[in-house]
Every structure is written in structure tokens, then in C-alpha cells.
Amino acid sequence: MKRRQIRKKNRITKKNREMKIYKFGKIPTGSVQGMKGMLRLIDNSIPKIIVLSATTETTERLAGIAAHLFNRDTEQAHDEISRLEFRFIDFANELFNDESIKQQAVDSIIDRFRTLWNFTRQRFTSVDEKDILAQGEFISSMLVSLYLKEQGINNRLLNSLDFMRLAPEEEPDMEYIGTKLHLLLAEHKSTNVFLTQGHLCRNAYNETCYLKQGGDDVSATLIGAALQAQEVCLWTDSKELHSCDPRFVKHPAMVKQLSFDEAEQLAYCGWTGFNPHCILPARENNIPIRLLCSMEPAEGGTLISNSQSGENIKAITARDNIYYIKFQSNRTLRPYLFISKIFDTFAKYHTSLCLFASSGSDVSVAINDKERLSHILHELSRYAATVVKDHMCILSAIGNMQWQCAGFEARIINALATIPIRMISYGSNNNNVSLVIRAEDKREALQRLNDTLFAPCHANPSQIHVPTLKHS
């Protein structure tokens, strides 16, 4: 009996290892063209789980309905619910040709909206808002499932609330997720395509939770990690990952490969292509992530994995709305106590530091949250004179920059020789060199860095330094 169970488990594990996780998010759920575009990207021969989301407009409308109910504006909530219900029914009538499938879709929409109508007849609390937002996820994934069925693709729709759960400390409960997913997939062995919702899970108290922006990226990687999947593919409708933001830079290079550490730094330093929290489960389980553009699927996208591709700079990011603050100690405190006081004060007011640098008794920081800055400055005024500059920007060079490899710092500084630099941060990790400049210099700085680091043919060859290893 035990041997049979082991063999059965191994067969499931082998199928899971061949599986790919596709996160389409809201791409296919907002239009008929989006549905058709998604269909061209699905290979029915490869086992896969497709993670979907409601459109931004749908989520915003549902959030508005929840706000009306919370404020006891029942009449306005009725109007919004009616408009949204008819909008979904019109979309179903436009999407489907098969009358039986069309009727099934309409019936399911009406059933889901029955839940919304029930909220107008009872006392509404903030906890109920998550259940209202969930209806958009359920309806959107249901429509995609029925569309695939009409196109001849056998699929199974999974309710993410049946397997996605947070532990009491609000971290993913990986053991629960893995166990439930294996059981659900084992019930449908002949099915190759599964669909589920990207923003829904339950907390430790069995309440519905709605994951915020980028939550579908995290859900996709958690599913991939739990199943030890072959790959997690995060599809977007934007262009591929560039070395610099193409809105500010001419001729940016394409980024084809990143390590997990580089991708994590890239996301934290301002790039919004994916949620940085999706990196941890993928890295811990060695599950590659591929960033793909639905408009250009043949390009292959950007692969994020444990592999390193040599010592080089991969991308430059920019973070706007930065405040630069310099604290010049009045020597009331010893240097080590002065630095400790600064850290403690920022922590007291729940304000994170983007960058930190110190020299002797003077300290410079860069932050992007000014909400409690006046309180921080007032409290520290006893110990230091301060200089505050707003309208600043943080530029970050991201790549594999081991300290033994010389030249990266020089190339970056040389490229910005005519641009004033307020602050430089280097050495906290092997993947990031960051500088604080004026926001008005951002466009020129990005172009200079792009031309020097990624397009050497456009730069003066004498200014380009090829990195060489330092011998320690």
C-alpha cells in the first residue's frame, strides 16, 4: 500500500515539475481582443496553471460600491451594482457565440451579483469589502474559463480560497498551499489547463483577503514554488525589460537575463514590472521567473534565475519624489550615539531610509516619505543642523558588481562628470550603486549612463573603462 502511495505521489510530482505557471493578470479579462490574444499564447500540450485578475476598472467600481455600503448610501450602491451587472452581461453576450455557454456565463454572473445584492440588505463592515472585491475576480476568471471551453480547450477553474492561505504572522502558509494544490490537481489528472484568481486568499482566521497591486505576481510564484513547477511566466501588455526607461532614454538596451538578487534590487529601486515579494519563494525553491510581453511573445522575454551572467551592469532605474537630508552634528553626542539617534528617530516615526551615508560626525540620508519629516527634524534639531533638499531623484545602477571587479564605479562617475551628485551609496550589496541627483537632471543623467554603459559605440572609446579583477 505504501509503495502505491509513493508511486502515485511521484507521478504527480513529475507532472508538476513539467508544469508552467502563467500569470496573465488582467490582460485577457477586459476585452474580447484580450481573450483572443491570450488564446494564442496558450500551449495546451504543456500542463499549466493560469493566474488571472479582474480589470482595474472592475476593482475600482467594486471598491466604490463597498464605500457606498459602508457609508450607508444604499441607493447609490444599488445604482452602481445594477450598472456593473449589466456591463458584465453585455460583455458575455459579445464574447460568446455558443448559446449554451453564453447562458451559463450569464447565470453565473447573476449568481455572483446576488451576493452583492445581499450586502445591501444587511449591516456592512469593512471586513465585507474583501468579499465584494472577490466577486470581480471570480466573474473574470469564470469568463476566461468558459471562453477557453468554447474554443475547445479543456480546463478546470480552481477557487484560490480553497488553497491560498496566510499563516497567523501573515506570511504564506506554504505547507497548506502545497498540500491543498496537490489534492486539487490529483482530482483532475486528465486536465492540463487550470485557472485561478490572483488576488484572493484566506487569512489564518478563514477570512477573505484581497492582495494589493502585484499580488497576482506573488500568487503565481507561490503556486510555482508549492508545485516545484518548471517555470513561472509573468505576462504583461507592456514592452520587454529595458536597461533604462524608454520614456526618458533613446535606444535603451534589452535585458535578457537577471539573477534573483539583481531582479530584487531592480524592483526595490523603482522598476514596476513585477512585485519584489515574488522573488523570495522563487529563489528559495530555484523556480525560474520569465517576464514576457504579450505583444511580442516571440522575443523570449527576461529570464530571472539563480544563474549569473558575468560581472556587468544590467539596468539603470530612477526613483522620483526623493528628499535629501544632511545632518551636521553639533557634537552634543558622540559619533556612534549620534548615528544611533538618527536611526532610532526614523524608526520611531515609521519612516524608511532609501539611502544612508556617513562621514565622521555628519550623516546624509535620502527618503521618499515626507509625512512625518517635520517631526523627525524637530526631534533631531537638538543634536544637529540640517539641510533639506526636495525635488531630488535616486539613480541606481543594477547588476553583478562584485567588489573584486574594478571599473564599475569609475564608468558611472565619469558618465555623470558634468552633473552635480549629492550622495553616493556603494558597498551595501553586490548588485547596486545608487546616487542622489536633482530631479531636473534625471533625463540627461539617464541618457549619459545609457550611452556609456550599454551603448559604448555612441560614447568616446577613451572614456570607457573595461573592468579588471583586483587581486586582494
Side-chain angles (χ1 to χ4, degrees):
M1 182 67 179
K2 287 185 178 180
R3 288 183 180 177
R4 286 183 187 173
Q5 290 176 340
I6 292 171
R7 287 174 186 165
K8 181 178 179 181
K9 183 177 180 180
N10 287 339
R11 283 200 300 271
I12 295 172
T13 302
K14 181 180 178 182
K15 180 179 179 180
N16 293 345
R17 285 188 178 277
E18 296 172 350
M19 180 171 284
K20 291 189 176 184
I21 314 301
Y22 278 18
K23 187 228 70 171
F24 283 114
K26 60 190 177 184
I27 294 174
T29 60
S31 67
V32 175
Q33 287 302 115
M35 294 277 194
K36 292 179 178 178
M38 179 202 65
L39 188 65
R40 292 193 293 268
L41 302 174
I42 295 177
D43 181 357
N44 196 24
S45 64
I46 301 175
K48 61 176 58 65
I49 295 179
I50 299 173
V51 179
L52 300 158
S53 304
T55 64
T56 302
E57 181 185 0
T58 296
T59 303
E60 289 176 349
R61 284 178 173 237
L62 289 168
I65 291 169
H68 289 312
L69 291 173
F70 189 76
N71 294 326
R72 299 183 181 179
D73 190 354
T74 308
E75 184 176 346
Q76 189 65 35
H78 277 186
D79 292 341
E80 292 294 333
I81 293 172
S82 295
R83 278 196 285 268
L84 189 57
E85 184 173 11
F86 282 120
R87 184 181 180 88
F88 270 119
I89 291 174
D90 288 343
F91 181 59
N93 286 324
E94 180 187 3
L95 179 63
F96 299 107
N97 296 315
D98 186 293
E99 290 299 326
S100 63
I101 292 180
K102 183 185 296 185
Q103 188 59 52
Q104 187 177 345
V106 171
D107 290 343
S108 182
I109 291 169
I110 293 172
D111 185 57
R112 285 293 172 187
F113 271 86
R114 197 172 286 123
T115 300
L116 294 181
W117 288 114
N118 286 337
F119 280 115
T120 67
R121 304 182 186 98
Q122 62 191 43
R123 185 172 179 271
F124 189 80
T125 67
S126 58
V127 177
D128 297 325
E129 180 186 11
K130 310 300 188 300
D131 289 311
I132 285 185
L133 295 177
Q135 305 313 309
E137 299 280 301
F138 289 137
I139 294 172
S140 299
S141 56
M142 175 273 298
L143 290 172
V144 175
S145 177
L146 290 178
Y147 178 74
L148 293 182
K149 180 181 177 181
E150 186 181 61
Q151 302 304 315
I153 297 179
N154 179 40
N155 68 90
R156 179 67 58 174
L157 181 59
L158 304 178
N159 186 336
S160 62
L161 298 180
D162 291 338
F163 62 86
M164 193 66 69
R165 190 173 77 171
L166 302 178
E169 61 275 13
E170 296 192 354
E171 291 295 323
D173 189 338
M174 291 303 297
E175 183 177 355
Y176 180 92
I177 294 170
T179 300
K180 289 293 186 179
L181 269 174
H182 279 89
L183 290 173
L184 287 170
L185 298 187
E187 293 175 3
H188 310 285
K189 297 177 185 177
S190 60
T191 303
N192 258 5
V193 178
F194 296 87
L195 296 89
T196 193
Q197 304 79 34
H199 286 275
L200 301 182
C201 67
R202 292 193 186 278
N203 61 20
Y205 309 102
N206 210 35
E207 298 169 333
T208 301
C209 290
Y210 185 88
L211 303 176
K212 296 181 180 179
Q213 185 177 5
D216 48 355
D217 291 343
V218 178
S219 292
T221 50
L222 289 175
I223 292 170
L227 297 177
Q228 289 294 297
Q230 177 184 344
E231 190 175 72
V232 175
C233 299
L234 305 180
W235 291 88
T236 69
D237 53 4
S238 59
K239 297 293 183 181
E240 289 183 308
L241 175 59
H242 292 87
S243 58
C244 292
D245 192 332
R247 296 174 299 174
F248 303 103
V249 172
K250 297 177 181 178
H251 314 299
M254 306 302 296
V255 180
K256 294 297 183 182
Q257 186 173 353
L258 291 167
S259 69
F260 285 123
D261 291 339
E262 291 166 346
E264 188 172 54
Q265 283 295 311
L266 193 61
Y268 279 121
C269 289
W271 193 69
T272 57
F274 62 93
N275 189 320
H277 296 295
C278 74
I279 296 296
L280 180 61
R283 176 169 48 203
E284 288 184 341
N285 294 274
N286 196 21
I287 309 295
I289 298 174
R290 193 177 295 275
L291 308 178
L292 291 155
C293 174
S294 60
M295 308 300 291
E296 299 175 355
E299 293 297 326
T302 302
L303 180 65
I304 303 172
S305 68
N306 273 325
S307 300
Q308 295 281 5
S309 58
E311 293 84 2
N312 52 23
I313 297 174
K314 305 291 182 61
I316 305 293
T317 65
R319 277 184 286 181
D320 297 321
N321 304 314
I322 297 298
Y323 287 78
Y324 165 83
I325 307 137
K326 183 176 181 179
F327 296 98
Q328 297 174 304
S329 174
N330 60 15
R331 306 301 192 272
T332 304
L333 298 175
R334 293 181 181 275
Y336 61 89
L337 291 175
F338 179 60
I339 291 176
S340 175
K341 186 65 178 179
I342 289 176
F343 277 118
D344 290 344
T345 305
F346 275 91
K348 175 182 176 181
Y349 290 101
H350 306 287
T351 301
S352 298
L353 303 179
C354 298
L355 295 179
F356 174 89
S358 66
S359 176
S361 297
D362 297 334
V363 171
S364 293
V365 302
I367 65 172
N368 61 355
D369 178 7
K370 68 169 185 175
E371 183 178 355
R372 301 175 182 87
L373 181 57
S374 60
H375 299 289
I376 294 170
L377 296 179
H378 175 73
E379 190 158 323
L380 292 174
S381 63
R382 297 169 53 192
Y383 312 103
T386 58
V387 176
V388 180
K389 296 290 183 181
D390 59 359
H391 302 295
M392 304 299 282
C393 171
I394 295 178
L395 298 185
S396 298
I398 308 298
N400 180 23
M401 296 175 279
Q402 304 290 332
W403 70 270
Q404 300 97 329
C405 195
F408 292 118
E409 314 94 312
R411 292 177 67 188
I412 294 169
I413 298 300
N414 288 341
L416 304 177
T418 62
I419 293 176
I421 299 174
R422 270 287 183 178
M423 182 177 175
I424 300 174
S425 176
Y426 173 58
S428 59
N429 60 64
N430 294 325
N431 305 109
N432 184 355
V433 176
S434 291
L435 311 95
V436 177
I437 64 171
R438 297 177 302 189
E440 62 193 78
D441 296 325
K442 181 178 78 169
R443 185 181 294 271
E444 180 184 356
L446 286 173
Q447 189 65 61
R448 285 175 173 270
L449 288 169
N450 181 75
D451 292 344
T452 302
L453 302 175
F454 309 116
C457 59
H458 297 297
N460 185 343
S462 64
Q463 295 178 343
I464 300 171
H465 179 80
V466 178
T468 56
L469 285 176
K470 291 177 182 175
H471 296 286
S472 51

